[in-house]
Amino acid sequence: MTRENATTPTAIVEHWLKQLDTALQAQDIPAALALFGEECYWRDFLAFTWNLKTCEGKSEIEAMLAATLARTQPARWRIEGEANGDADSCEAWFTFATNIASGKGYLRLKQGKCWTLLTTMQELDAFPEPSNGLRPRGAEHGANKARETWLEAREREAAELGYSRQPYCLVVGGGQGGIGLGARLKQMGVSTLIIDRHARPGDAWRKRYKSLCLHDPVWYDHLPYIPFPDNWPVFAPKDKVGDWLEMYTRVMELDYWGSTECRSARFDEQAKEWVVEVMRDGEALTLRPKQLIMATGMSGIPNVPHFPGAERFEGEQQHSSQHSGPDAYAGKKCVIVGSNNSAHDIAAALWEHDADVTMLQRSSTHIVKSDSLMQEALGPLYSEEAVAKGITHDKADLLFASIPYRLLPDFQRPAFDTIRKRDAAFYRKLEAAGFLLDFGDDDSGLFLKYLRRGSGYYIDVGACELIANGDIKLRSNVGIECINARSVTLTDGTELPADLIVYATGYGSMNGWAAQLISQEVADKVGKCWGMGSNTTKDPGPWEGELRNMWKPTQQEGLWFHGGNLHQSRHYSHYLALQMKARMEGIDTPVYGLQKVHHLA
């Protein structure tokens, strides 16, 4: 290496990776730790820990390496492409290998020392996915009197699975999360059955209120293996999403049971399998999967508050998940309890159909205009411009994952500060109408609010203008004192006439489904899902560093939780599927850093 190029970002990264490779192969942990700065983070997805785990600081990294290094035997750390930055601060992609898998990661260096390191398992060496050069032949050439066509094989498999042959994985929930995970498991050769109470894949979208659409842009929302086509709309309406999910389920050859309700489940400790009672099209069946995956989104059972007098209300009351649309409410007095995404969408649709709408805002809400979010926050990773720069959605997913949650507020705050200034006049109009605004407890914006609590925000696609000009009436910082026959009395003593009350009051933790289907004991054993212990509103401490119980082992053997938005479902389904494949094949999967339970719900 010449003096001239010794300090190029690429050369600096190459030198660092070579030193790490040497230290780890020698199992020299002190030498490895010397490569990290005083402030340092190592986020690992399965490769070392068989967990989703972030180690913060040298002492945590030392403990992780001491527990995992001899077993994983990492080697062949190589830069991929060119590094970005300068001699003082640079970052780069890299690849590596363990004794059982290939890996990929992202590295950030400051003054030649590691600041952040992401390591991810990509593929098990002994079980590569059948794609590209390993794709199946499909047609069977030659003569064969016992030939079974593709259709006959699919029909036979469908007739057997769940009856004469049990699935290794049972996925409860056939929305986009369960379907995307099912595709990953199918490609990895993991026998999987997906069940859903709706009749057809996509019905969970079709049966919601008719104005529902994706608020995230198309580049953020691709499913595994089959991206949306280049002419797909930026914000897809619900029925189009539903049709795509139904098509996807069919062409990915997923084993999907619609019109199937999961009645109960229990873990058989002796057999190390679940006993799951389901009702399929009126037929009672018992399934015995080894792994049970709750893919019910990021949310649990709907939160439906009970107010005094609710039983005497003569109009309609419904949770937002039950609201089918505005058509029946022209000229009606409608009260929306809540001020987040669903509340705004439903209120705007009701106004469009000539209803008299009042929104009750009980606490402050983070609002961000869709265009501003796309340009300032999502655009660098998920946009047409990002694609043109070679940032695929898979690369974008890893880049986003490479930022430890402890640092994410600092990464996000500048974008939302820019948005606050860019849309200052918009925010002034909302506040003048009495709307209570926030940018999160620490001004870090939308993504942190979503990760910490999964609520408290609205991506504005038009409803805010209706609130600002009074078309949608607003009562802020109030709640319901009681419900009367044809009105609601607010906590400030005023009375609102009402024909319809919509509770846009969110959902409980996903472990609520475990309580309902398995037992309260198991729900408490695994604890709260979602949030990371940030000690902000609705995300109590202590700090945990990763999302609770999501896509990784829980305190209940064989019980897993899968959900999140389309981006998270796509990305993390890969790691959840790898964990299923390894266990199915009998690969040793010792979990490092299994998360403790601090909160029950």
Side-chain angles (χ1 to χ4, degrees):
M1 186 181 297
T2 67
R3 189 175 186 85
E4 181 180 325
N5 66 14
T7 57
T8 65
T10 297
I12 291 169
V13 169
E14 286 177 333
H15 180 62
W16 190 92
L17 289 170
K18 183 177 180 180
Q19 288 182 294
L20 183 68
D21 197 358
T22 300
L24 295 185
Q25 288 201 55
Q27 297 189 35
D28 187 345
I29 294 176
L33 291 174
L35 299 171
F36 288 79
E38 289 309 307
E39 183 191 20
C40 55
Y41 305 84
W42 186 333
R43 193 178 195 198
D44 180 65
F45 291 174
L46 310 187
F48 286 76
T49 61
W50 281 112
N51 199 355
L52 307 186
K53 173 69 176 174
T54 298
C55 297
E56 301 184 357
K58 289 187 178 184
S59 62
E60 290 191 12
I61 293 172
E62 180 180 21
M64 184 271 285
L65 288 175
T68 65
L69 187 54
R71 172 179 53 78
T72 55
Q73 301 174 28
R76 302 199 301 276
W77 298 75
R78 303 285 186 270
I79 192 171
E80 185 177 72
E82 298 291 323
N84 295 315
D86 54 36
D88 293 331
S89 178
C90 53
E91 53 194 77
W93 295 99
F94 63 87
T95 58
F96 68 101
T98 68
N99 62 332
I100 61 166
S102 60
K104 186 169 184 171
Y106 200 77
L107 168 69
R108 292 183 182 88
L109 299 179
K110 286 185 175 181
Q111 304 296 325
K113 302 284 189 179
C114 178
W115 179 36
T116 73
L117 180 67
L118 171 71
T119 49
T120 70
M121 181 182 291
Q122 289 295 301
E123 192 166 57
L124 293 164
D125 294 339
F127 304 100
E129 290 193 32
S131 60
N132 299 321
L134 298 176
R135 70 175 73 225
R137 285 185 61 84
E140 178 190 345
H141 294 166
N144 181 359
K145 288 188 176 182
R147 182 188 302 278
E148 185 179 44
T149 67
W150 169 85
L151 179 60
E152 289 167 341
R154 284 291 296 143
E155 289 173 341
R156 173 180 53 77
E157 291 165 0
E160 293 173 353
L161 191 62
Y163 293 91
S164 62
R165 177 170 57 88
Q166 291 299 311
Y168 182 76
C169 292
L170 177 65
V171 178
V172 179
Q176 69 265 17
I179 288 170
L181 175 62
R184 298 274 195 196
L185 291 165
K186 181 78 174 186
Q187 289 302 105
M188 293 185 190
V190 179
S191 173
T192 302
L193 180 62
I194 305 165
I195 63 172
D196 194 88
R197 61 188 175 85
H198 293 294
R200 296 161 52 200
D203 275 355
W205 284 86
R206 294 185 188 97
K207 294 186 177 182
R208 293 292 304 280
Y209 55 91
K210 72 179 189 179
S211 63
L212 177 66
C213 66
L214 284 171
H215 287 203
D216 299 319
V218 62
W219 307 277
Y220 192 73
D221 293 333
H222 297 296
L223 270 65
Y225 307 112
I226 307 178
F228 293 117
D230 291 344
N231 65 345
W232 196 260
V234 175
F235 303 107
K238 70 179 184 74
D239 296 287
K240 193 172 181 69
V241 174
D243 288 349
W244 181 265
L245 292 173
E246 187 168 29
M247 177 279 299
Y248 185 92
T249 301
R250 180 176 290 274
V251 300
M252 293 303 294
E253 301 179 19
L254 306 186
D255 293 297
Y256 187 105
W257 285 5
S259 302
T260 303
E261 182 184 357
C262 183
R263 293 289 183 88
S264 67
R266 63 177 177 85
F267 189 66
D268 185 331
E269 288 284 354
Q270 186 171 1
K272 296 298 180 184
E273 66 187 19
W274 289 91
V275 180
V276 185
E277 305 296 337
V278 304
M279 184 69 69
R280 184 190 188 194
D281 287 325
E283 179 187 8
L285 296 167
T286 301
L287 301 174
R288 291 183 170 269
K290 297 295 185 183
Q291 311 290 342
L292 179 63
I293 303 169
M294 307 301 294
T296 52
M298 58 156 286
S299 304
I301 295 166
N303 283 329
V304 182
H306 179 78
F307 297 107
E311 65 281 352
R312 65 172 178 259
F313 186 62
E314 296 175 359
E316 293 183 61
Q317 298 178 77
Q318 53 194 216
H319 188 265
S320 58
S321 60
Q322 301 166 313
H323 181 71
S324 60
D327 295 10
Y329 304 105
K332 302 290 187 181
K333 304 285 188 181
C334 304
V335 175
I336 313 295
V337 183
S339 56
N340 297 333
N341 266 339
S342 293
H344 281 82
D345 285 349
I346 291 170
L350 286 167
W351 176 85
E352 288 178 346
H353 284 71
D354 299 319
D356 183 327
V357 187
T358 301
M359 179 184 290
L360 302 186
Q361 185 188 27
R362 299 169 298 166
S363 58
S364 65
T365 308
H366 173 51
I367 302 291
V368 59
K369 296 178 75 171
S370 176
D371 290 348
S372 299
L373 181 70
M374 286 180 60
Q375 185 168 336
E376 304 295 342
L378 283 172
L381 293 181
Y382 300 96
S383 65
E384 207 66 52
E385 292 74 23
V387 172
K389 293 176 182 177
I391 303 176
T392 64
H393 58 273
D394 290 325
K395 274 193 171 182
D397 292 347
L398 285 170
L399 282 169
F400 194 78
S402 73
I403 305 168
Y405 284 146
R406 178 79 77 177
L407 297 177
L408 192 57
D410 293 335
F411 274 74
Q412 290 291 301
R413 207 172 282 112
F416 286 93
D417 285 346
T418 299
I419 288 171
R420 193 200 301 258
K421 294 172 185 174
R422 165 181 169 153
D423 296 326
F426 165 76
Y427 291 122
R428 283 195 298 270
K429 284 178 65 178
L430 270 179
E431 289 182 314
F435 198 89
L436 304 175
L437 289 168
D438 70 59
F439 273 73
D441 287 16
D442 56 359
D443 289 333
S444 56
L446 178 75
F447 297 112
L448 269 300
K449 253 204 164 183
Y450 171 70
L451 292 167
R452 290 165 174 169
R453 53 184 282 190
S455 64
Y457 56 86
Y458 169 56
I459 301 173
D460 180 41
V461 292
C464 285
E465 187 66 29
L466 297 175
I467 293 170
N469 64 25
D471 290 322
I472 293 174
K473 299 169 187 174
L474 176 70
R475 299 300 304 272
S476 57
N477 211 21
V478 295
I480 294 178
E481 181 72 28
C482 66
I483 298 177
N484 312 305
R486 280 288 173 181
S487 66
V488 297
T489 301
L490 304 183
T491 51
D492 63 2
T494 60
E495 189 173 348
L496 292 178
D499 301 301
L500 169 70
I501 304 171
V502 178
Y503 298 112
T505 46
Y507 302 82
S509 171
M510 283 179 73
N511 70 335
W513 291 115
Q516 187 179 84
L517 298 176
I518 307 170
S519 69
Q520 189 62 53
E521 180 184 8
V522 168
D524 291 346
K525 184 178 181 180
V526 300
K528 180 180 174 67
C529 298
W530 211 259
M532 61 191 79
S534 63
N535 208 28
T536 58
T537 304
K538 296 189 178 181
D539 184 28
W543 177 250
E544 301 181 52
E546 292 287 345
L547 291 182
R548 301 179 186 98
N549 285 319
M550 299 304 299
W551 316 295
K552 61 185 178 182
T554 70
Q555 292 286 348
Q556 170 59 55
E557 182 181 357
L559 180 62
W560 309 78
F561 294 90
H562 175 63
N565 58 31
L566 279 158
H567 147 250
Q568 289 172 308
S569 293
R570 173 186 65 244
H571 184 218
Y572 289 100
S573 64
H574 177 62
Y575 307 108
L576 181 49
L578 281 170
Q579 292 171 86
M580 298 299 97
K581 178 65 173 178
R583 284 163 172 77
M584 189 187 80
E585 299 294 350
I587 295 173
D588 191 27
T589 57
V591 177
Y592 177 80
L594 182 65
Q595 228 162 17
K596 297 177 181 178
V597 175
H598 300 292
H599 306 284
L600 301 185

